[in-house]
Amino acid sequence: MKPRIAPPELQPATFTFKDTAKVADILSRYPADKKQSAVMPLLDLVMRQMAAEVKEGGGWIPEAAMEEIARICEMPRIKVFEVATFYSMYILAPIGKHHIQCCTTTPCWLRGSADIVKACEEATGCHVGETSQDKLFTISEVECLGACVNAPMVQINDEYYEDLTPERMKEIIAALKAGQDVPKGPQIKRHSSMSAAGPTTLIEEAKKAGAL
Amino acid sequence: MPKLKINDIEVEVPAGTSIIQAAEQLGIEIPRFCYHDKLSVPANCRMCLVEVKGGPPKPQASCALACAENMEVFTDSEMVHKARKGVMEFLLINHPLDCPICDQGGECDLQDQAVAYGFDRSRYFEAKRAVKDKELGPLIETNMTRCIQCTRCVRFASEIAGVDDLGLLNRGEDVEIGTYISKAVESELSGNLADVCPVGALLNKPYTFTARPWELRKTDSIDVMDAVGSNIRIDARGNEVMRVLPRLNESVNEEWIADKTRYAYDGLKTQRLDRPYVRDTSGRLRECTWEEAFIYAAGKLKTLQGSEIGALAGDLVDVESTYALRDLMRALGSNTMDCRVDGADLDASEACGYRFNTTIAGLEQADAIVLIGTNPRKEAPIINARIRKAWLTKRTPVYVIGERLELNYPYTYLGAGADALEKLDIKAEKPAIIVGMGALRIDGAAVLALARKKSVVTAEWNGFNVLHTAAGRVGALMVGFAPQAPFSTKGIKAWYLHGVDNAEVFQHVIAKEAFVIYQGHHGDVGAQRADVIFPGAAYTEKAALYVNTEGRVQMARAAVSPVGQAKEDWRIVRAFSEVLNVPLAYNTHADLRKRLSAEIPAFANVGEITPVEWKPFGKEGTISATSFTSAVANYYQTDAISRASVTMANCVESFGAPLKIAAA
């Protein structure tokens, strides 16, 4: 999906990193002459900082931040822009507080992801690609997020919610709306990505790990 | 040196040569879109796939695979054809079928290769995608729906032009070429974007919808918009120049040309002097016949002594006419002639003192480059591209004395004037010192002598360079169009001005009451002041020799004929000599060239630089403390042709005239 880019009237004029220690830490991971390697974690840091700063909704990356990263990483701004528009995890326009990324690739789709998307739309009152009126939710369709064993699944901000049913999806959205905590990972009685019926091999080890 | 077989032909190539380059050496053409031999290799179009035995059993991208020992490459096998057909089918999924209304039609890589590898129908019924066009300024027309994402433009902009403005945005089927925030590509080489684009996505804007490539008559020629002498191809239809394209010359312009070279040609269609004029008693210029103009001018000159007649040669003059005019002035007994009309105090006596001795290609060998009173980005963008290349490949350090410049490579600023030159101490084996016209002011002789002293000259290296801004200057100096004694305008009652359109000449040199004969092709500054006008030919309209700043003699050919009653310039001088009763000793162009090269053998050496001895030049002396300034303030309008060009005027409006930043 083509990234939405915030219109000029929403773009802040400047952007400064608050957590300068974190910026230094990120830069220290890469050789001094290969600073541009830091572009991805810095873009992520911008989103986290913005999420804490915005009055409503979630974090996004303004153009001023991309210019700041270009300056820090000593790379052309267009190269930062290229990276930011390439990955679906970078958000370039104001977004809901909870970004529901529904996986609709084949394994999830076979396990009913279309119904999950529908459930999200019904529960939030907005369509795929839109943000809800209360600025709490934005729904996106994304490609495979790599949790196919527990399909269907969605990613909301940093967390995975797996083994969903339309009903459970609606409950999750209702809980998030109410500000309650929702258990992450599989939403049925499954440990991690083990078989849903319980372990069939390495049973002793599973017991030791407390999964049985 | 790996040895390999391509289509069963054995070839040995230097290590690191890619298969596509090795095949090229054998004359085997491999289709490609993204690969360009002057740019980096991204291997993203997949059109150059070949079959390689001794590698994995799948087609390989020949542009990105280096030749290895005992490789067996097949460029024409069944596997290769199948793979390329597949690639072509993918490329055509979204490429519009608009060849009949596309300016690239007839010279389009995609069109040509689709003939070889395309299918005669489409298997796709889905809608094609459309991409919004980008605004890239007054020179480049965009049709982004036609883009096949080869990224040549992105690489050209960042590698050659040095402007990181273009990028490949988004992902998958949404991928498109874009700019950060919609803005024009600010480069003097931006016109080359249209050349590198293999499809009709980036096009020559002023040429849009004016001609088809198969209608055009192509003439190899030489550019005169700066002193680089870029090799160009002039495409004309009927008697109209339709466009100007670069021609490959590795020692001069590689395969790029600057924007003024490419786009100023529309100035050839306006403000032209197409018939002779004389100024009548009321002070107005009146059309007349050649006969009348000649008799009128000759009548005036005949009343004067030789020492009362002077001649000046402007920036765009060719060698032959300057040579003929020199002979005419000598026959008249005058020694007052000069080609340094911008006031640059060049030493005309020694060729080594006014040439770009390192040579343009030689800059790549330099281990330090010093720019003195010059902004190569505006005075010679092609030479600037070489300096950038030297910096890009070898990180050659660049030093600047003069104004602070906005260059597309980093430099160390040493100072504004002569004191910085005095202190200059570059620890390098092969430094190249480039002296611009901006450093050769009234005390130019002393600047030259000082720069000479600072230059490293050995048997295999000459680091002293003069960067000219006028295409005709070196040629005119070589034929001796310069005064033998100190130049003096005292007592000059009549001037023969050959293409002189430099406003400062009319302010400082030409006396108010002097009689002025102007020979030239544009109604510019010179024609306004003239008492008689001899209409001459522009560079596209005459076969002539030009000498670039290196001292390389190059031959231009006539692409179209002169407008109206205008004539080739040397013919005008020859005909006028007859009227003056001092007929010159040549009647044909061939005779003139023969005589010219007999007198100055360098002119027989077309395309080459004739070596000269390293001798003293300039004159040591005190240099004023004022800072050096660049000779060109407004890149887009430097001469009579570019001042008449609408495209160049649009560029000034878009990019703003001065690119310089204030001195800190």
Side-chain angles (χ1 to χ4, degrees), chain B residues 415-482:
Chain B
D419 47 333
L421 178 59
E422 191 77 61
K423 276 184 261 164
L424 181 70
D425 181 25
I426 301 292
K427 306 248 177 326
E429 274 169 34
K430 290 178 165 185
I433 288 184
I434 302 176
V435 182
M437 293 300 115
L440 305 175
R441 312 153 304 194
I442 199 85
D443 47 9
V447 175
L448 283 173
L450 183 56
R452 182 184 191 279
K453 219 167 68 187
K454 299 281 180 186
S455 297
V456 172
V457 179
T458 62
E460 65 272 10
W461 183 256
N462 188 329
F464 176 81
N465 301 293
V466 172
L467 179 55
H468 289 267
T469 50
R473 189 70 50 84
V474 179
L477 288 168
M478 273 170 77
V479 300
F481 202 88

Side-chain angles (χ1 to χ4, degrees), chain B residues 363-392:
Chain B
L363 286 176
E364 290 178 38
Q365 263 95 55
D367 51 8
I369 296 170
V370 190
L371 305 174
I372 301 167
T374 178
N375 181 353
R377 186 169 169 188
K378 284 196 266 172
E379 293 171 26
I382 293 296
I383 290 179
N384 194 54
R386 282 284 181 157
I387 300 174
R388 179 172 160 79
K389 192 178 178 188
W391 174 77
L392 211 57

Side-chain angles (χ1 to χ4, degrees), chain B residues 320-373:
Chain B
E320 286 93 331
S321 59
T322 318
Y323 178 70
L325 185 56
R326 184 207 71 177
D327 283 355
L328 175 66
M329 295 310 288
R330 285 186 184 170
L332 289 173
S334 166
N335 188 32
T336 308
M337 52 182 139
D338 209 335
C339 57
R340 296 163 293 182
V341 286
D342 56 0
D345 191 11
L346 286 155
D347 190 333
S349 57
E350 289 304 332
C352 60
Y354 58 75
R355 293 203 332 194
F356 201 90
N357 294 303
T358 305
T359 73
I360 297 171
L363 286 176
E364 290 178 38
Q365 263 95 55
D367 51 8
I369 296 170
V370 190
L371 305 174
I372 301 167

Side-chain angles (χ1 to χ4, degrees), chain B residues 109-353:
Chain B
D109 291 357
L110 188 64
Q111 199 179 30
D112 292 350
Q113 290 173 35
V115 172
Y117 299 101
F119 197 43
D120 64 353
R121 70 209 67 178
S122 175
R123 290 194 280 167
Y124 292 86
F125 298 98
E126 290 83 358
K128 290 182 184 240
R129 72 171 195 158
V131 182
K132 214 173 154 199
D133 290 344
K134 304 292 176 295
E135 176 56 47
L136 294 185
L139 302 178
I140 298 294
E141 168 84 15
T142 64
N143 279 282
M144 300 317 284
T145 303
R146 295 180 187 142
C147 176
I148 57 167
Q149 288 83 46
C150 72
T151 69
R152 273 190 194 177
C153 54
V154 176
R155 285 172 286 140
F156 174 83
S158 73
E159 290 163 25
I160 308 291
V163 285
D164 282 299
D165 282 344
L166 294 175
L168 192 66
L169 307 180
N170 309 337
R171 176 180 195 167
E173 76 159 343
D174 296 313
V175 80
E176 61 180 287
I177 300 292
T179 52
Y180 182 67
I181 298 161
S182 184
K183 65 174 233 178
V185 176
E186 214 170 287
S187 161
E188 296 73 29
L189 295 170
S190 65
N192 296 294
L193 287 170
D195 284 348
V196 297
C197 182
V199 296
L202 303 179
L203 293 165
N204 184 329
K205 202 174 214 172
Y207 168 76
T208 307
F209 302 139
T210 56
R212 283 305 205 175
W214 55 85
E215 305 173 317
L216 300 171
R217 193 174 62 250
K218 299 155 178 75
T219 313
D220 289 352
S221 195
I222 300 298
D223 170 58
V224 299
M225 291 295 133
D226 53 32
V228 174
S230 294
N231 289 210
I232 54 170
R233 192 185 92 192
I234 300 168
D235 284 3
R237 185 176 59 193
N239 205 37
E240 192 182 3
V241 175
M242 301 306 292
R243 63 173 175 180
V244 173
L245 293 175
R247 193 152 53 87
L248 183 72
N249 187 335
E250 292 291 354
S251 357
V252 183
N253 54 316
E254 301 185 88
E255 53 183 291
W256 320 119
I257 51 174
D259 287 349
K260 193 166 37 174
T261 303
R262 187 187 299 264
Y263 294 111
Y265 68 88
D266 66 332
L268 295 168
K269 298 170 192 175
T270 48
Q271 293 280 83
R272 291 301 299 272
L273 300 171
D274 58 354
R275 64 199 72 185
Y277 289 88
V278 293
R279 200 172 287 279
D280 61 21
T281 43
S282 67
R284 290 174 65 93
L285 283 168
R286 172 175 61 77
E287 295 169 16
C288 66
T289 61
W290 272 107
E291 203 182 357
E292 191 186 343
F294 276 159
I295 290 170
Y296 178 62
K300 186 76 190 176
L301 295 192
K302 277 176 186 165
T303 64
L304 300 171
Q305 298 290 313
S307 58
E308 292 172 318
I309 305 169
L312 296 174
D315 291 349
L316 308 178
V317 295
D318 58 296
V319 169
E320 286 93 331
S321 59
T322 318
Y323 178 70
L325 185 56
R326 184 207 71 177
D327 283 355
L328 175 66
M329 295 310 288
R330 285 186 184 170
L332 289 173
S334 166
N335 188 32
T336 308
M337 52 182 139
D338 209 335
C339 57
R340 296 163 293 182
V341 286
D342 56 0
D345 191 11
L346 286 155
D347 190 333
S349 57
E350 289 304 332
C352 60

Side-chain angles (χ1 to χ4, degrees), chain B residues 460-575:
Chain B
E460 65 272 10
W461 183 256
N462 188 329
F464 176 81
N465 301 293
V466 172
L467 179 55
H468 289 267
T469 50
R473 189 70 50 84
V474 179
L477 288 168
M478 273 170 77
V479 300
F481 202 88
Q484 305 298 319
F487 185 74
S488 162
T489 57
K490 234 192 198 155
I492 299 295
K493 293 186 176 141
W495 286 100
Y496 196 120
L497 303 183
H498 181 14
V500 178
D501 287 302
N502 308 55
E504 57 270 38
V505 170
F506 298 93
Q507 284 161 16
H508 307 303
V509 181
I510 312 288
K512 270 217 157 55
E513 59 286 354
F515 179 76
V516 173
I517 301 168
Y518 176 79
Q519 176 179 337
H521 43 76
H522 269 79
D524 203 69
V525 188
Q528 278 175 27
R529 171 64 183 82
D531 295 298
V532 184
I533 294 174
F534 298 162
Y539 70 110
T540 51
E541 297 156 6
K542 56 190 169 190
L545 297 173
Y546 292 96
V547 187
N548 79 350
T549 188
E550 300 170 290
R552 188 184 300 276
V553 178
Q554 301 192 102
M555 190 155 60
R557 291 178 183 81
V560 292
S561 35
V563 293
Q565 297 175 42
K567 298 268 181 275
E568 286 184 340
D569 288 277
W570 79 270
R571 281 177 198 281
I572 297 171
V573 179
R574 172 65 186 81

